[in-house]
Amino acid sequence: MKPLSISVVLAALSFPALAADKVAVPPAEVEAVVQAMFKSALEDWKPRVGQDETQRVCTDTRNNPPDAEAAKIKARELASIAYPEDGNVMGDWKKGEKIAQTGTGGQFSDEPGTVNGGNCYACHQMAAAEVSFGTLGPSLLGYGKLKNFQAAENKLALAKIFNAQSVVACSNMPRFGYHKFLSMDQIKDVTAYLMSPDSPVNK
Amino acid sequence: MARTRHETRTAAGAGALLAFVLGLAGGVAAEETAADQSEKEIEKYRAMINDPMANPAFLNVDRGEILWKTARGSKNASLETCDLGEGAGKLESAYAKLPRYFKDADKVLDLEQRLLWCMDKIQGADLKEILSRKFSGPGKVSDMEDLVAYIANKSSGMKFSAQVGHPKEQQAYAIGEALFYRRSSIEDFSCATCHGDTGKRIRLQALPDFTKPGKDAQDTMGSWPTYRVSQSQMRTMQHRLWDCYRQMRMPAPEYGSEGITALTLYLTKQADGGEITVPSIKR
């Protein structure tokens, strides 16, 4: 775990914001409670319990980082993005649809070998025919069409899915590529589902 | 009025209605708009099913009463002298004021932690065995769930009165609030990701907003423990939070840990003044 300095600065920033009648608990004490809460975690699950710098800043500012912090997050997250080597960001939209529909993977209840899903429908409207969609994120109905099916926009969509916080600091959308939660092929497939003129999202 | 057990209710009656509910859920699930329709349909029948004559979770309440009154453990004692905060053996309104600070333990404890404390100190119970059945499953009853059902039911019809007067309660509340907003793991989730705004949903499931005190928190906290039709088991808030961390892609949280208690106190404070109607029944 690297910079301690950030959390110390932020603790100083965010504590005065608390109401006077509230008890301020030092971050280290909260972290000790967290560690005890997950003390039986398997070795390869332990890293999930901690926080990276972005998670820590977003926690300390309750997803409202000051402008300077937001700029730092976006720059850092942008730097994490990898693009397909052949430059082709569009995969198979049919496979992408399945990924958008799938909400399993990465849970302690999942069978070993479960392929992770992007679960986009948990938060977004996408194809018009799918009425079971969540509202935590904006509607993406007709997203590719809205962007005039431009190649540059396809690349931006892939970047957004790879790391949502490269665009919106402390977004509630998971950083799918950064965490390797979705593979590059999966991200390409979802990009195609979102952006392809053939995809039901744009019909 | 507190909704308490009907002495005339029979297990057979509950079983028949349960079969009806499950049949209903199964039938609708076969169609495409399953989640939507089954939730609506079950909502329609919920009022009717909340009848203690029919809710299978009242079987847990019955079992919990027996467990409370039966002498067990190396000390061959019942739990009837256990002080849940309102005085030895006093169950009425105990659940409405938990979690709270206990002087003898010098800690803030939730109901499960306090029960374990009493089982250990009063009964000399085999906690390892009891915790091996912390959550029920097919062919596995849970003493903890049954006791929680029995004790929570004794506060049914009463209002939550969250305890945040003692410095340790204030500290637990503050930790609970911090945990609520803490983002981590491989999808960057916190509790606030799903419960940080009003009127949002995941797929078609409405999400309660726990960032502010009021109706969302009151309706939610006041309806646990509950019979989960989808799981065919009665579940407690302890299990619900365990399930939330599962969905957050975190490891399983320790049962009866300080963190779970802190979160429960935070949520209970948000639900302060809300009416308790338990055990309820949910999808």
Side-chain angles (χ1 to χ4, degrees):
Chain A
M1 297 272 126
K2 43 169 192 172
L4 242 172
S5 57
I6 273 276
S7 67
V8 173
V9 169
L10 279 158
L13 275 176
S14 59
F15 269 57
L18 295 174
D21 62 327
K22 276 191 188 165
V23 177
V25 178
E29 234 170 275
V30 175
E31 289 310 301
V33 171
V34 170
Q35 290 303 326
M37 198 172 170
F38 298 104
K39 66 177 184 210
S40 306
L42 298 171
E43 218 38 56
D44 54 337
W45 279 64
K46 286 232 160 90
R48 299 189 187 193
V49 177
Q51 292 180 300
D52 72 6
E53 204 169 326
T54 296
Q55 289 172 332
R56 195 157 47 220
V57 175
C58 296
T59 297
D60 289 346
T61 62
R62 295 197 181 168
N63 293 337
N64 284 307
D67 289 351
E69 283 302 330
K72 271 194 231 168
I73 290 172
K74 284 195 274 184
R76 182 166 60 233
E77 301 306 322
L78 192 64
S80 82
I81 297 174
Y83 292 92
E85 275 166 25
D86 63 0
N88 177 19
V89 299
M90 301 280 267
D92 178 344
W93 70 258
K94 285 186 185 131
K95 287 186 189 160
E97 176 159 54
K98 182 137 186 272
I99 296 161
Q101 288 278 12
T102 303
T104 43
Q107 305 168 121
F108 62 68
S109 55
D110 288 321
E111 293 291 326
T114 301
V115 177
N116 293 351
N119 210 14
C120 318
Y121 275 107
C123 298
H124 294 288
Q125 179 177 30
M126 296 186 90
E130 180 51 273
V131 294
S132 176
F133 60 84
T135 57
L136 288 169
S139 170
L140 301 173
L141 179 67
Y143 194 78
K145 197 172 171 184
L146 224 82
K147 305 283 182 185
N148 296 317
F149 301 122
Q150 284 184 25
E153 293 290 349
N154 298 344
K155 198 177 167 194
L156 288 174
L158 178 126
K160 176 72 189 179
I161 299 163
F162 193 101
N163 193 329
Q165 297 200 42
S166 65
V167 185
V168 177
C170 299
S171 168
N172 273 332
M173 179 162 152
R175 293 170 289 168
F176 292 108
Y178 166 83
H179 286 297
K180 299 189 168 61
F181 192 82
L182 295 180
S183 69
M184 182 53 86
D185 280 343
Q186 285 182 305
I187 292 174
K188 283 170 63 176
D189 292 339
V190 178
T191 302
Y193 183 54
L194 195 61
M195 306 307 284
S196 167
D198 304 328
S199 162
V201 171
N202 297 309
K203 293 290 178 193
Chain B
M1 258 311 288
R3 266 176 241 198
T4 45
R5 243 166 346 101
H6 252 263
E7 296 307 330
T8 51
R9 178 196 38 72
T10 64
L17 222 129
L18 169 60
F20 166 67
V21 175
L22 291 174
L24 171 82
V28 177
E31 286 160 39
E32 257 312 288
T33 54
D36 189 21
Q37 284 195 15
S38 68
E39 175 62 23
K40 273 201 196 118
E41 288 299 297
I42 287 177
E43 184 69 55
K44 243 197 311 189
Y45 288 94
R46 192 171 285 157
M48 185 183 102
I49 288 164
N50 248 341
D51 175 0
M53 291 283 284
N55 182 346
F58 281 88
L59 298 175
N60 301 80
V61 173
D62 285 353
R63 280 202 300 265
E65 179 170 11
I66 294 165
L67 287 166
W68 180 259
K69 293 176 175 168
T70 304
R72 297 198 302 170
S74 64
K75 298 181 183 171
N76 196 33
S78 80
L79 285 166
E80 287 161 304
T81 59
C82 176
D83 182 353
L84 298 174
E86 293 299 285
K90 192 167 177 300
L91 299 181
E92 275 71 24
S93 84
Y95 187 71
K97 298 181 189 171
L98 285 165
R100 70 192 292 172
Y101 174 74
F102 288 89
K103 200 159 184 246
D104 51 13
D106 192 29
K107 270 187 190 144
V108 174
L109 304 175
D110 71 351
L111 178 53
E112 283 90 336
Q113 287 175 310
R114 186 58 180 175
L115 281 169
L116 289 169
W117 200 90
C118 286
M119 286 173 170
D120 181 39
K121 300 276 188 284
I122 298 171
Q123 296 185 302
D126 181 355
L127 298 189
K128 221 178 146 203
E129 192 283 320
I130 283 164
L131 287 173
S132 73
R133 297 179 287 116
K134 58 182 183 284
F135 302 133
S136 55
K140 183 163 79 173
V141 293
S142 166
D143 292 3
M144 295 306 293
E145 285 178 349
D146 293 345
L147 282 162
V148 170
Y150 170 59
I151 293 155
N153 177 249
K154 292 284 187 191
S155 288
S156 207
M158 299 176 188
K159 292 182 163 59
F160 278 117
S161 170
Q163 301 295 298
V164 288
H166 191 278
K168 291 217 172 176
E169 290 165 350
Q170 286 165 13
Q171 187 189 12
Y173 171 86
I175 290 172
E177 185 179 31
L179 292 178
F180 182 82
Y181 287 99
R182 186 182 183 277
R183 298 185 69 169
S184 58
S185 196
I186 53 175
E187 291 215 272
D188 300 315
F189 292 145
S190 72
C191 310
T193 306
C194 291
H195 303 287
D197 208 348
T198 306
K200 299 287 185 189
R201 3 177 271 249
I202 275 199
R203 290 281 183 155
L204 294 167
Q205 177 67 53
L207 295 164
D209 178 359
F210 297 137
T211 61
K212 50 180 202 278
K215 193 175 183 314
D216 278 12
Q218 289 175 341
D219 289 354
T220 302
M221 297 304 284
S223 58
W224 288 83
T226 188
Y227 185 82
R228 293 298 301 266
V229 174
S230 57
Q231 300 178 22
S232 312
Q233 301 289 350
M234 196 214 69
R235 296 302 189 195
T236 63
M237 189 40 60
Q238 182 88 220
H239 184 277
R240 181 58 265 205
L241 294 177
W242 175 88
D243 210 30
C244 283
Y245 276 110
R246 179 182 69 81
Q247 291 174 301
M248 287 158 71
R249 272 74 185 172
M250 287 291 271
E254 294 293 314
Y255 186 90
S257 58
E258 186 184 348
I260 293 291
T261 296
L263 265 173
T264 305
L265 181 57
Y266 169 73
L267 294 171
T268 305
K269 181 73 174 72
Q270 301 299 65
D272 208 17
E275 188 173 332
I276 301 165
T277 310
V278 295
S280 74
I281 189 159
K282 290 179 195 283
R283 179 174 68 82

